[in-house]
């Protein structure tokens, strides 16, 4: 009896080892994950998640603009995504007189919905393994890149809206074909004020407890016959036969959740010697470089409201990576993640004699490549941050276009955009610190250029002003041509390109080792009867796990939900991150939560679950065990951002807005009845 119990226990211990690797599965792999998903509480058939024959949840999920995820929540093509995903579109419709960012926006009718040229959504209808097809072309002499293109090109192309793309998985050991359809008329329908959609801003970014209403609403339009079409006033709201069901029941601790979305990149199988290099050398350097920039900008943003506006968005994007990497470094240390990865690696290496040779080779190559990689990183952190470099690049392109007699609208518009948000003196101060940090590192190569020449106050103050709209550019042209920094971008890029010309072939050689290594990973997994998921690569994936908090530190426990009381508790009038519009605060204080309340009467705001997500999963739908929409993914807790290397349900959590908070905002705050009416809400 005891023996049997032990046997059962160890069997479940083995089968409950999803911690082995990462868990972002292709839709077509879901059927083979059935047992695991059921064990975690899924109560729908795998075909309801995805079926090659159609009818799966994937049909309601979109790649939003190619950079985020969204989902269709009505029979009229209403799309839900994050506020930070819709941000650029919202900003483009905002002006001082009509500030959608500040006040929010709720289209009163279809006619009020705002077109966004360039924005599109892709529906992924099919994913399938095409390894054999690609390999057979490779065996006939095509190189893999060519073969991937050939397989994609061989698909039936009825019209330009169909997009077939073949991508390598497991470093080129497998290939997957994605079939998608692109809809290019996507209009802005609604957004809460930024104070709600960005509540907590950078201070709360990557952090739990969280109270951000990070959502916005768009709508897909089609030609009158339902086909995808560029914007036209004759287009009609997309007709959707089976829109998602939205559940007001929510999920509780331990409940099954499933996330569909387009994660961009993970490194779950990176050799441990390289992960170690990332954690010990590369990420700390990036963090330190960004710290210099952020502290410089921050000091000016705090005292100058104009600088605050100019640098807020740049600050947010630089801080986003900075904070994530700190979380990764600390998280890996906290759970001794490298030890776990090393133990895994040793098991795979032991699988064949080639294994140990490979890991040794990686260790040597990582050491050999370290100096060049590290140097490259200084360029990568300096070039995009130092706006004088951008000025030199854009001005050079503009002067060249002028000399050629080309149309100057675009290069001039690009310069105007730069100037709009540029404070050359502040930029100079940040650059001084970045260059000093680079020069202080004795272990890397430094620029041969005398960069201090370009960081003098005289350089910043002599940046030529742009002519007023509609006036002559002659003075600008003359001053720009004579300016000391005109060639800066070209010279720095030349150095960087020379470095990359040396580094890239070495990286390719390293990658060819990765192909062998991943083949071994696959063989070891197959021998152990284990399935492993490919690293994220911006293709449609399914992640699943359980809702619930965790213990971030001894003596502390994060709960599953946050509530509206927490929104009010964080409220700080006048603070740019935690202020709330008076009308919004007043509505919350009335506690008129209606059908959106939890059973204890509180209004849920955000919740946690152990789903493996990454950048690109923003806007992803979170489903309950029956496939009903319960939330909208927008972040991870920073204690668990190391999931990009090592996912463990012990402390990796994704953060979602509870759909009931979204609905409360749309219904009770905005009074946007017409939107609530078109949704399929189930109790
Ligand atoms: N951390 C989330 C992501 O990686 C949200 C970023 C946007 N929000 C912000 N405060 N920067 O995209
Ligand atoms: N905020 C991220 C995004 O925009 C999602 C958070 C993450 O990296 O998991 O995709």
């Amino acid at each position: 009896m005891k023996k049997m119990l032990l046997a059962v226990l160890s069997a479940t211990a083995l089968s409950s080892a999803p911690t082995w690797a990462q868990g972002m599965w292709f839709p077509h792999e879901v059927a083979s994950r059935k047992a695991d998903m059921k064990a975690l509480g899924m109560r729908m058939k795998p075909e309801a998640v995805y079926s090659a024959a159609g009818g799966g949840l994937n049909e309601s999920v979109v790649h939003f603009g190619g950079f985020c995820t969204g989902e269709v929540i009505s029979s009229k093509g209403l799309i839900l995504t994050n506020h930070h995903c819709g941000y650029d579109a919202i900003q483009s419709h905002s002006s001082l007189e009509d500030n959608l960012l500040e006040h929010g926006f709720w289209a009163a009718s279809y006619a009020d919905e705002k077109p966004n040229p360039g924005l599109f959504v892709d529906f992924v209808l099919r994913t399938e393994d095409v390894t054999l097809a690609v390999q057979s072309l490779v065996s006939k002499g095509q190189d893999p890149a060519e073969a991937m293109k050939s397989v994609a090109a061989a698909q039936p192309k009825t019209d330009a809206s169909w997009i077939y793309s073949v991508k390598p998985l497991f470093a080129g050991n497998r290939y997957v074909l994605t079939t998608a359809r692109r809809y290019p008329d996507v209009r802005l329908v609604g957004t809460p004020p930024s104070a709600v959609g960005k509540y907590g801003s950078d201070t709360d970014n990557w952090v739990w407890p969280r109270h951000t209403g990070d959502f916005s609403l768009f709508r897909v339009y089609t030609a009158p016959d339902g086909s995808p079409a560029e914007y036209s006033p004759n287009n009609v709201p997309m007709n959707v036969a089976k829109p998602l069901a939205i559940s007001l029941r929510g999920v509780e601790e331990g409940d099954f959740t499933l996330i569909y979305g387009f994660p961009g990149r993970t490194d779950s199988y990176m050799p441990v010697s390289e992960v170690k290099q990332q954690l010990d050398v590369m990420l700390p350097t990036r963090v330190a470089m960004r710290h210099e920039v952020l502290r410089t900008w921050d000091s000016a943003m705090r005292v100058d409201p104009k600088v605050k506006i100019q640098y807020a968005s740049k600050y947010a994007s630089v801080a986003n990576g900075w904070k994530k990497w700190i979380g990764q470094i600390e998280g890996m240390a906290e759970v001794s993640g490298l030890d776990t990865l090393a133990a895994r690696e040793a098991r795979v290496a032991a699988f064949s004699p080639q294994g140990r040779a490979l890991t040794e080779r990686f260790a040597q190559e990582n050491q050999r490549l370290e100096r060049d990689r590290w140097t490259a990183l200084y360029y990568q952190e300096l070039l995009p941050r130092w706006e004088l470099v951008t000025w030199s690049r854009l001005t050079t392109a503009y002067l060249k276009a002028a000399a050629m007699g080309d149309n100057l609208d675009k290069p001039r518009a690009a310069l105007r955009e730069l100037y709009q948000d540029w404070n050359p003196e502040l930029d100079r101060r940040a650059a001084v610190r970045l260059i000093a940090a680079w020069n202080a590192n004795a272990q890397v190569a430094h620029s041969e250029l005398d960069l201090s020449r370009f960081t003098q106050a005289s350089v910043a103050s002599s940046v030529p002003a742009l002519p007023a709209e509609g006036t002559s550019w002659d003075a600008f042209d003359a001053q720009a041509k004579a300016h000391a920094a005109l060639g800066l971008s070209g010279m720095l890029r030349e150095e960087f390109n020379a470095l990359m010309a040396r580094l890239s072939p070495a990286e390719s050689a390293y990658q060819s080792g990765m192909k062998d290594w991943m083949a071994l990973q696959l063989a070891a997994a197959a021998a152990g009867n284990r399935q492993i998921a490919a690293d994220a690569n911006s293709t449609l994936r399914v992640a699943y796990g359980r809702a619930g908090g965790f213990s971030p530190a001894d003596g502390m426990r994060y709960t599953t939900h946050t509530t509206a009381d927490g929104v009010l508790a964080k409220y700080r009038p006048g603070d740019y991150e935690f202020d709330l519009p008076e009308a919004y605060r007043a509505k919350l204080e009335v506690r008129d939560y209606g059908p959106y309340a939890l059973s204890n009467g509180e209004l849920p705001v955000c919740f946690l679950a152990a789903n493996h997500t990454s950048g690109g999963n923003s806007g992803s739908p979170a489903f309950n065990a029956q496939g009903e929409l319960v939330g909208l993914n927008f972040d991870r807790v920073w204690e668990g951002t190391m999931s990009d290397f090592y996912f463990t349900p012990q402390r990796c959590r994704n953060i979602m807005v509870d759909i009931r908070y979204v609905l409360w905002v749309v219904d009770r705050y905005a009074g946007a009845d017409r939107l609530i009416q078109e949704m399929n809400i189930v109790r």
Side-chain angles (χ1 to χ4, degrees):
M1 177 65 199
K2 215 169 184 182
K3 230 180 192 168
M4 228 170 85
L5 195 65
L6 272 179
V8 169
L9 275 178
S10 60
T12 45
L14 276 181
S15 68
S16 69
T19 51
W20 171 261
Q22 67 120 326
M24 296 165 172
W25 303 95
F26 277 100
H28 66 267
E29 293 174 321
V30 165
S32 62
R33 304 299 307 166
K34 180 174 160 184
D36 194 37
M37 296 170 94
K38 293 245 151 152
L40 282 168
M42 184 172 77
R43 293 210 297 277
M44 58 188 148
K45 292 204 171 77
E47 307 87 77
V49 179
Y50 172 80
S51 160
L57 288 173
N58 61 297
E59 293 178 2
S60 300
V61 182
V62 295
H63 206 177
F64 185 87
F67 54 86
C68 270
T69 306
E71 51 277 353
V72 186
I73 56 165
S74 90
S75 56
K76 293 291 172 203
L78 194 60
I79 300 271
L80 178 64
T81 188
N82 287 146
H83 182 268
H84 79 264
C85 297
Y87 197 87
D88 283 346
I90 303 166
Q91 185 172 44
S92 75
H93 297 294
S94 292
S95 60
L96 280 177
E97 303 75 49
D98 188 14
N99 197 336
L100 273 48
L101 280 174
E102 186 177 342
H103 304 297
F105 167 71
W106 308 96
S109 67
Y110 290 136
D112 292 324
E113 300 180 352
K114 298 177 184 293
N116 301 286
L119 186 60
F120 59 84
V121 295
D122 289 342
F123 286 83
V124 172
L125 303 173
R126 249 180 109 92
T127 63
E128 61 206 288
D129 190 299
V130 289
T131 308
L132 289 178
V134 173
Q135 280 172 351
S136 98
L137 293 176
V138 170
S139 69
K140 287 181 193 132
Q142 289 196 11
D143 73 41
E146 241 180 294
M148 286 192 283
K149 274 197 202 122
S150 309
V151 170
Q155 305 304 316
K157 193 126 189 159
T158 28
D159 66 68
S161 70
W162 291 91
I163 298 171
Y164 297 97
S165 99
V166 177
K167 286 192 174 179
L169 309 176
F170 299 108
N173 284 280
R174 301 239 179 105
Y175 296 90
V176 71
L177 167 68
T178 296
T179 302
R181 205 157 185 211
R182 177 164 299 181
Y183 290 75
D185 186 354
V186 181
R187 305 188 194 172
L188 177 63
V189 172
T191 172
S194 289
V196 175
K198 255 192 95 159
Y199 195 59
S201 190
D202 292 308
T203 297
D204 270 10
N205 191 24
W206 301 112
V207 165
W208 190 260
R210 191 62 160 277
H211 298 88
T212 313
D214 197 346
F215 80 93
S216 59
L217 292 163
F218 288 78
R219 191 187 303 282
V220 187
Y221 280 73
T222 67
D225 68 359
S227 60
E230 291 291 340
Y231 169 81
S232 152
N234 299 327
N235 285 353
V236 297
M238 181 181 202
N239 201 345
V240 179
K242 218 184 85 182
L244 293 178
I246 302 174
S247 168
L248 294 185
R249 287 188 313 275
V251 285
E252 279 158 34
E253 172 132 31
D255 285 352
F256 178 84
T257 56
L258 182 148
I259 299 278
Y260 243 125
F262 295 85
R265 175 175 176 174
T266 53
D267 292 301
S268 309
Y269 306 98
M270 189 180 256
V272 175
S273 52
E274 192 182 353
V275 177
K276 190 163 160 36
Q277 183 177 70
Q278 284 290 325
L279 295 172
D280 293 350
V281 181
M282 304 300 164
L283 295 183
T285 301
R286 302 195 83 161
V287 167
M289 290 291 271
R290 290 189 177 207
H291 176 74
E292 294 302 329
V293 173
L294 292 170
R295 77 184 173 107
T296 311
W297 289 352
D298 182 68
S299 61
M301 286 163 72
R302 283 186 187 279
V303 295
D304 186 339
K306 181 168 177 215
V307 170
K308 169 83 228 323
I309 295 172
Q310 288 181 311
Y311 282 77
S313 159
K314 286 183 267 197
Y315 188 97
S317 75
V318 174
N320 196 41
W322 167 77
K323 206 162 174 181
K324 176 175 71 179
W325 296 322
I326 296 173
Q328 289 178 341
I329 297 164
E330 290 183 359
M332 282 297 268
E334 201 70 43
V335 298
S336 308
L338 273 181
D339 295 346
T340 308
L341 292 184
R344 274 184 198 172
E345 185 169 282
R347 264 175 287 169
V348 175
F351 191 73
S352 99
Q354 189 206 9
R356 193 139 307 133
L358 273 173
T359 53
E360 271 159 29
R361 172 178 153 194
F362 290 138
Q364 281 162 12
E365 286 189 20
N366 281 318
Q367 207 167 24
R368 200 164 54 78
L369 293 177
E370 182 162 297
R371 186 166 186 263
D372 279 351
R373 283 180 180 163
W374 204 356
T375 302
L377 199 144
Y378 281 98
Y379 284 99
Q380 284 156 350
E381 286 296 319
L382 180 70
L383 286 171
R385 283 312 99 65
W386 193 5
E387 295 170 286
L388 185 67
V389 175
T390 310
W391 176 84
S392 127
R393 178 168 58 81
L394 295 179
T395 304
T396 303
Y398 157 69
L399 291 173
K400 193 168 154 205
M404 306 278 287
D406 292 348
N407 183 311
L408 297 177
D409 292 351
K410 274 206 182 134
R412 282 178 173 169
L415 274 166
R416 287 206 184 279
E417 209 181 306
L418 169 72
Y419 273 69
Q420 173 91 24
D421 291 334
W422 183 28
N423 180 317
E425 169 54 21
L426 181 60
D427 176 43
R428 182 188 75 78
R429 297 212 311 263
V432 166
R433 285 175 165 165
L434 284 175
I435 293 161
W438 185 359
N439 289 337
N441 185 346
Q443 296 176 63
V444 298
H446 300 122
S447 172
E448 295 290 330
L449 305 167
D450 174 15
L451 292 178
S452 64
R453 213 154 48 86
F454 303 100
T455 55
Q456 283 152 12
S458 58
V459 173
S461 61
S462 66
V463 173
L466 287 186
E469 205 74 63
T471 65
S472 161
W473 280 66
D474 290 352
F476 176 86
D477 291 12
Q479 286 171 47
K481 279 181 199 154
H483 198 275
L486 183 64
L488 177 61
S489 168
M491 292 187 292
L492 267 172
R493 292 232 156 245
E494 206 172 298
E495 278 190 342
F496 179 61
N497 291 343
L499 169 65
M500 292 315 279
R502 186 169 73 234
L503 185 54
S504 298
E507 293 286 11
S508 302
Y510 184 81
Q511 282 310 317
S512 72
M514 273 306 281
K515 183 168 182 197
D516 296 339
W517 176 241
M518 289 312 305
L520 206 58
Q521 296 259 10
L522 287 165
N529 239 332
R530 259 180 316 105
Q531 209 181 355
I532 56 175
D535 269 320
N537 61 353
S538 291
T539 48
L540 182 62
R541 302 295 180 96
V542 172
Y544 55 88
R546 287 191 166 126
F550 69 106
S551 170
D554 183 42
M556 268 173 90
R557 174 122 200 123
Y558 287 162
T559 58
T560 309
H561 288 95
T562 55
T563 68
D565 285 351
V567 177
L568 292 172
K570 281 178 177 174
Y571 167 62
R572 240 183 300 161
D575 183 282
Y576 78 93
E577 299 187 294
F578 294 98
D579 203 353
L580 286 170
E582 188 47 34
Y584 193 83
R585 202 179 56 80
K587 287 262 188 200
L588 273 186
E589 291 212 319
V590 177
R591 300 177 65 92
D592 169 23
Y593 302 152
Y596 311 119
L598 294 166
S599 53
N600 67 3
E602 302 293 333
L603 179 67
V605 174
C606 294
F607 68 103
L608 293 176
N611 297 301
H612 191 186
T613 55
S614 193
N617 269 122
S618 276
S620 285
F623 297 109
N624 64 13
Q626 290 92 263
E628 296 157 348
L629 188 70
V630 289
L632 176 64
N633 185 72
F634 70 102
D635 211 356
R636 279 174 287 166
V637 298
W638 82 326
E639 291 89 345
T641 50
M642 83 266 185
S643 62
D644 289 344
F645 300 111
Y646 168 45
F647 176 80
T648 164
Q650 195 188 326
R651 64 194 265 133
C652 297
R653 292 291 179 280
N654 62 313
I655 306 180
M656 294 146 287
V657 198
D658 196 297
I659 201 68
R660 292 167 291 190
Y661 188 54
V662 171
L663 293 176
W664 181 85
V665 173
V666 175
D667 180 1
R668 301 296 159 113
Y669 168 68
D673 248 11
R674 106 181 161 98
L675 301 178
I676 297 289
Q677 291 308 325
E678 67 180 271
M679 298 176 195
N680 173 20
I681 299 174
V682 296
R683 315 264 138 180

Short mmCIF file of all heavy atoms in Angstrom, two decimals, residues 357-377:
data_model
loop_
_atom_site.label_atom_id
_atom_site.label_comp_id
_atom_site.label_asym_id
_atom_site.label_seq_id
_atom_site.Cartn_x
_atom_site.Cartn_y
_atom_site.Cartn_z
N ALA A 357 30.64 18.12 -25.16
CA ALA A 357 31.52 18.90 -26.04
C ALA A 357 30.86 20.23 -26.41
O ALA A 357 31.51 21.27 -26.43
CB ALA A 357 31.84 18.08 -27.30
N LEU A 358 29.56 20.16 -26.67
CA LEU A 358 28.86 21.38 -27.06
C LEU A 358 28.84 22.41 -25.93
O LEU A 358 29.14 23.59 -26.14
CB LEU A 358 27.42 21.05 -27.46
CG LEU A 358 27.19 20.66 -28.92
CD1 LEU A 358 25.75 20.19 -29.11
CD2 LEU A 358 27.49 21.84 -29.85
N THR A 359 28.49 21.97 -24.72
CA THR A 359 28.42 22.94 -23.63
C THR A 359 29.80 23.53 -23.36
O THR A 359 29.92 24.72 -23.04
CB THR A 359 27.85 22.33 -22.34
OG1 THR A 359 28.59 21.16 -22.00
CG2 THR A 359 26.38 21.97 -22.51
N GLU A 360 30.84 22.71 -23.51
CA GLU A 360 32.19 23.26 -23.33
C GLU A 360 32.51 24.28 -24.42
O GLU A 360 33.08 25.33 -24.15
CB GLU A 360 33.23 22.13 -23.34
CG GLU A 360 33.45 21.57 -21.94
CD GLU A 360 34.05 20.17 -21.96
OE1 GLU A 360 34.78 19.86 -22.94
OE2 GLU A 360 33.77 19.40 -21.02
N ARG A 361 32.09 23.94 -25.61
CA ARG A 361 32.33 24.87 -26.72
C ARG A 361 31.60 26.19 -26.47
O ARG A 361 32.15 27.27 -26.67
CB ARG A 361 31.85 24.21 -28.01
CG ARG A 361 31.86 25.14 -29.20
CD ARG A 361 31.43 24.42 -30.47
NE ARG A 361 30.84 25.38 -31.39
CZ ARG A 361 30.12 25.04 -32.45
NH1 ARG A 361 29.89 23.76 -32.72
NH2 ARG A 361 29.64 25.96 -33.24
N PHE A 362 30.34 26.10 -26.00
CA PHE A 362 29.60 27.33 -25.72
C PHE A 362 30.32 28.18 -24.67
O PHE A 362 30.43 29.38 -24.80
CB PHE A 362 28.18 27.02 -25.23
CG PHE A 362 27.28 26.45 -26.28
CD1 PHE A 362 26.43 25.38 -25.98
CD2 PHE A 362 27.27 26.97 -27.56
CE1 PHE A 362 25.59 24.86 -26.95
CE2 PHE A 362 26.43 26.44 -28.54
CZ PHE A 362 25.59 25.38 -28.23
N ALA A 363 30.78 27.49 -23.63
CA ALA A 363 31.45 28.22 -22.55
C ALA A 363 32.66 28.97 -23.09
O ALA A 363 32.87 30.15 -22.79
CB ALA A 363 31.85 27.27 -21.43
N GLN A 364 33.44 28.29 -23.95
CA GLN A 364 34.63 28.94 -24.52
C GLN A 364 34.24 30.09 -25.43
O GLN A 364 34.81 31.17 -25.37
CB GLN A 364 35.45 27.93 -25.33
CG GLN A 364 36.32 27.03 -24.46
CD GLN A 364 36.77 25.79 -25.23
OE1 GLN A 364 36.62 25.73 -26.45
NE2 GLN A 364 37.33 24.82 -24.51
N GLU A 365 33.27 29.82 -26.29
CA GLU A 365 32.90 30.87 -27.24
C GLU A 365 32.31 32.08 -26.53
O GLU A 365 32.57 33.22 -26.91
CB GLU A 365 31.92 30.32 -28.29
CG GLU A 365 32.61 29.42 -29.28
CD GLU A 365 31.73 29.02 -30.46
OE1 GLU A 365 30.73 29.72 -30.71
OE2 GLU A 365 32.06 28.02 -31.10
N ASN A 366 31.51 31.82 -25.51
CA ASN A 366 30.95 32.96 -24.78
C ASN A 366 32.04 33.82 -24.17
O ASN A 366 31.95 35.05 -24.18
CB ASN A 366 29.96 32.48 -23.71
CG ASN A 366 28.62 32.12 -24.33
OD1 ASN A 366 28.13 32.84 -25.20
ND2 ASN A 366 28.05 31.00 -23.91
N GLN A 367 33.07 33.15 -23.68
CA GLN A 367 34.17 33.90 -23.11
C GLN A 367 34.89 34.70 -24.20
O GLN A 367 35.21 35.87 -24.04
CB GLN A 367 35.13 32.91 -22.47
CG GLN A 367 35.92 33.49 -21.34
CD GLN A 367 36.61 32.38 -20.55
OE1 GLN A 367 36.86 31.28 -21.07
NE2 GLN A 367 36.90 32.66 -19.31
N ARG A 368 35.10 34.03 -25.32
CA ARG A 368 35.83 34.66 -26.42
C ARG A 368 35.05 35.85 -27.00
O ARG A 368 35.63 36.85 -27.39
CB ARG A 368 36.08 33.61 -27.52
CG ARG A 368 37.18 33.93 -28.49
CD ARG A 368 37.60 32.67 -29.27
NE ARG A 368 36.48 32.00 -29.93
CZ ARG A 368 35.92 32.42 -31.07
NH1 ARG A 368 36.40 33.46 -31.69
NH2 ARG A 368 34.90 31.76 -31.59
N LEU A 369 33.74 35.72 -27.03
CA LEU A 369 32.92 36.77 -27.65
C LEU A 369 32.57 37.90 -26.68
O LEU A 369 32.02 38.92 -27.08
CB LEU A 369 31.62 36.17 -28.18
CG LEU A 369 31.76 35.20 -29.35
CD1 LEU A 369 30.41 34.62 -29.74
CD2 LEU A 369 32.39 35.93 -30.54
N GLU A 370 32.91 37.70 -25.42
CA GLU A 370 32.40 38.63 -24.41
C GLU A 370 32.79 40.08 -24.66
O GLU A 370 31.96 40.99 -24.59
CB GLU A 370 32.87 38.20 -23.02
CG GLU A 370 32.32 39.10 -21.92
CD GLU A 370 32.39 38.46 -20.56
OE1 GLU A 370 31.74 37.41 -20.37
OE2 GLU A 370 33.12 38.98 -19.70
N ARG A 371 34.06 40.29 -25.00
CA ARG A 371 34.52 41.68 -25.13
C ARG A 371 33.77 42.39 -26.27
O ARG A 371 33.32 43.52 -26.11
CB ARG A 371 36.03 41.72 -25.38
CG ARG A 371 36.60 43.11 -25.38
CD ARG A 371 38.12 43.10 -25.28
NE ARG A 371 38.66 44.44 -25.13
CZ ARG A 371 39.13 45.17 -26.13
NH1 ARG A 371 39.11 44.70 -27.37
NH2 ARG A 371 39.62 46.37 -25.92
N ASP A 372 33.63 41.73 -27.40
CA ASP A 372 32.94 42.36 -28.53
C ASP A 372 31.45 42.56 -28.26
O ASP A 372 30.88 43.59 -28.58
CB ASP A 372 33.12 41.54 -29.81
CG ASP A 372 34.48 41.82 -30.47
OD1 ASP A 372 35.17 42.77 -30.02
OD2 ASP A 372 34.84 41.11 -31.42
N ARG A 373 30.84 41.55 -27.65
CA ARG A 373 29.42 41.69 -27.32
C ARG A 373 29.20 42.85 -26.35
O ARG A 373 28.26 43.62 -26.47
CB ARG A 373 28.91 40.41 -26.66
CG ARG A 373 28.65 39.27 -27.62
CD ARG A 373 28.13 38.08 -26.82
NE ARG A 373 27.86 36.94 -27.68
CZ ARG A 373 27.73 35.70 -27.23
NH1 ARG A 373 27.85 35.44 -25.93
NH2 ARG A 373 27.46 34.71 -28.06
N TRP A 374 30.11 42.91 -25.40
CA TRP A 374 30.00 43.93 -24.35
C TRP A 374 30.19 45.32 -24.96
O TRP A 374 29.46 46.26 -24.67
CB TRP A 374 31.06 43.63 -23.28
CG TRP A 374 30.78 44.18 -21.92
CD1 TRP A 374 29.72 44.97 -21.54
CD2 TRP A 374 31.57 43.96 -20.76
NE1 TRP A 374 29.81 45.26 -20.20
CE2 TRP A 374 30.94 44.65 -19.69
CE3 TRP A 374 32.74 43.26 -20.48
CZ2 TRP A 374 31.45 44.66 -18.39
CZ3 TRP A 374 33.25 43.26 -19.19
CH2 TRP A 374 32.60 43.94 -18.16
N THR A 375 31.17 45.42 -25.86
CA THR A 375 31.40 46.70 -26.53
C THR A 375 30.18 47.09 -27.37
O THR A 375 29.72 48.23 -27.34
CB THR A 375 32.64 46.60 -27.45
OG1 THR A 375 33.77 46.21 -26.65
CG2 THR A 375 32.93 47.93 -28.12
N ALA A 376 29.64 46.11 -28.09
CA ALA A 376 28.47 46.38 -28.95
C ALA A 376 27.33 46.96 -28.13
O ALA A 376 26.60 47.86 -28.56
CB ALA A 376 28.03 45.11 -29.66
N LEU A 377 27.22 46.44 -26.92
CA LEU A 377 26.13 46.87 -26.06
C LEU A 377 26.23 48.36 -25.70
O LEU A 377 25.22 49.05 -25.57
CB LEU A 377 26.22 45.99 -24.82
CG LEU A 377 25.05 45.85 -23.93
CD1 LEU A 377 25.03 44.44 -23.42
CD2 LEU A 377 25.24 46.82 -22.83
#
